[in-house]
């Protein structure tokens, strides 16, 4: 079946602009995760959605970051007023509910802020 | 907070040889899961192997096996008969089962594995 998809694959934006990154999880996966991968910080967990429940936002690096998940499926990560330090690869993963279940990752969106 | 340490930024091995990647972690939990993920240049993270902390038997998946030492908080990955397709970044990751998975994965910094033909 189809895996996790993310769009766009690459995004170049000017400092101060807003960007939206999209994630389509595997059908039937109620858990969805966002991670950020950068050279300086490695892989960081950002946010988690379980079904339609309100997400735990404590991992988001600043209040410029927000995420939503519509209808328990597609998720959008929005970064407002982008800064150069936001440049990174943003990875999305989905899984069944529960810590033992494998997280399936998408190919990521490479964000470059100029 | 949990931490995961991979002390080898880069490893190189001859094709068909065996290589071991190291990982240590720090936690106060008694129940948790450990993972090795592979990330080739395509950026796609792929699960290689998983270990449940309550299981004493080391996990094995074909040419990949782990040496899980719970008391030492060590979780190394052994790749036997290395193949060119094994070349990638390898990440060790940790997760607790609590909260239904709400805590996400904690990753190490990664080891870049080079396969010499």
């Amino acid at each position: 079946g189809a895996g996790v998809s993310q769009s766009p694959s690459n995004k170049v934006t000017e400092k101060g602009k807003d960007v939206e990154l999209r994630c389509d999880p595997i059908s039937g996966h109620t858990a969805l995760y966002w991670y950020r991968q950068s050279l300086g910080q490695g892989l960081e967990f950002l946010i988690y959605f379980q079904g339609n429940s309100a997400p735990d936002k404590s991992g988001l690096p600043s209040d410029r970051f927000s995420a939503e998940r519509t209808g328990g499926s597609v998720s959008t990560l929005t970064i407002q007023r982008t800064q150069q330090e936001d440049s990174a690869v943003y990875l999305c993963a989905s899984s069944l509910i529960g810590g033992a279940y494998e997280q399936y990752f998408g190919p990521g969106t490479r964000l470059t802020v100029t | 907070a949990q931490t995961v340490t991979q002390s080898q930024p880069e490893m190189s091995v001859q094709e068909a040889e065996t290589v071991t990647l190291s990982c240590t972690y720090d936690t106060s939990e008694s129940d948790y899961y450990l993972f090795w993920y592979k990330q080739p240049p395509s950026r796609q993270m792929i699960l290689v192997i998983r270990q449940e902390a309550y299981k004493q038997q080391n996990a094995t998946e074909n040419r990949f096996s782990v040496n899980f030492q719970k008391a030492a908080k060590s979780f190394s990955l052994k790749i036997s008969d290395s193949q060119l397709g094994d070349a990638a970044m390898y990440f060790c990751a940790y997760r607790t089962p609590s909260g239904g998975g709400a805590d996400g994965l904690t990753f190490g910094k990664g080891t870049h594995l080079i396969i010499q033909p």
Side-chain angles (χ1 to χ4, degrees):
Chain A
V4 177
S5 61
Q6 292 185 247
S7 60
S9 178
N10 292 282
K11 176 72 176 178
V12 180
T13 190
E14 292 180 353
K15 178 182 174 181
K17 300 284 189 182
D18 297 351
V19 294
E20 284 189 353
L21 312 180
R22 177 187 168 104
C23 172
D24 282 271
I26 292 172
S27 178
H29 282 187
T30 50
L32 187 147
Y33 305 81
W34 283 98
Y35 294 86
R36 179 170 70 174
Q37 184 174 24
S38 59
L39 283 175
Q41 300 298 322
L43 276 153
E44 305 170 87
F45 167 62
L46 297 179
I47 192 168
Y48 160 77
F49 291 90
Q50 178 177 332
N52 293 319
S53 302
D56 176 5
K57 302 180 181 180
S58 59
L60 294 177
S62 80
D63 57 9
R64 296 185 295 104
F65 287 70
S66 63
E68 64 177 18
R69 189 177 185 191
T70 55
S73 181
V74 173
S75 177
T76 302
L77 178 68
T78 301
I79 308 173
Q80 296 178 309
R81 305 182 302 282
T82 51
Q83 303 295 312
Q84 288 188 331
E85 60 262 29
D86 299 334
S87 296
V89 174
Y90 290 83
L91 295 168
C92 174
S94 72
S95 77
L96 298 172
I97 294 293
Y101 290 108
E102 175 183 353
Q103 292 185 22
Y104 292 83
F105 283 80
T109 294
R110 180 178 296 279
L111 175 66
T112 303
V113 182
T114 61
Chain B
Q2 298 86 8
T3 58
V4 178
T5 303
Q6 292 179 251
S7 59
Q8 305 153 318
E10 187 173 280
M11 291 283 285
S12 182
V13 65
Q14 290 290 128
E15 191 176 3
E17 296 294 310
T18 295
V19 63
T20 299
L21 308 184
S22 301
C23 172
T24 58
Y25 57 94
D26 188 21
T27 183
S28 58
E29 303 284 341
S30 59
D31 190 19
Y32 49 85
Y33 300 91
L34 296 165
F35 306 85
W36 277 98
Y37 276 88
K38 169 185 176 181
Q39 186 180 41
S42 67
R43 297 198 308 244
Q44 187 84 47
M45 295 282 280
I46 302 164
L47 179 66
V48 174
I49 200 164
R50 169 176 55 203
Q51 175 80 43
E52 291 88 349
Y54 64 86
K55 290 186 177 180
Q56 292 186 333
Q57 186 174 6
N58 289 323
T60 300
E61 289 287 341
N62 300 313
R63 297 182 296 107
F64 299 87
S65 62
V66 298
N67 183 4
F68 173 50
Q69 300 291 327
K70 190 172 184 179
K73 297 181 182 175
S74 172
F75 182 61
S76 61
L77 174 69
K78 185 172 81 171
I79 306 174
S80 303
D81 185 25
S82 298
Q83 301 176 359
L84 294 177
D86 295 334
M89 284 291 293
Y90 285 80
F91 292 95
C92 179
Y94 166 100
R95 185 181 194 185
T96 60
S98 60
D103 50 352
L105 289 162
T106 300
F107 286 92
K109 295 290 188 184
T111 296
H112 181 210
L113 179 63
I114 298 168
I115 310 294
Q116 304 281 2

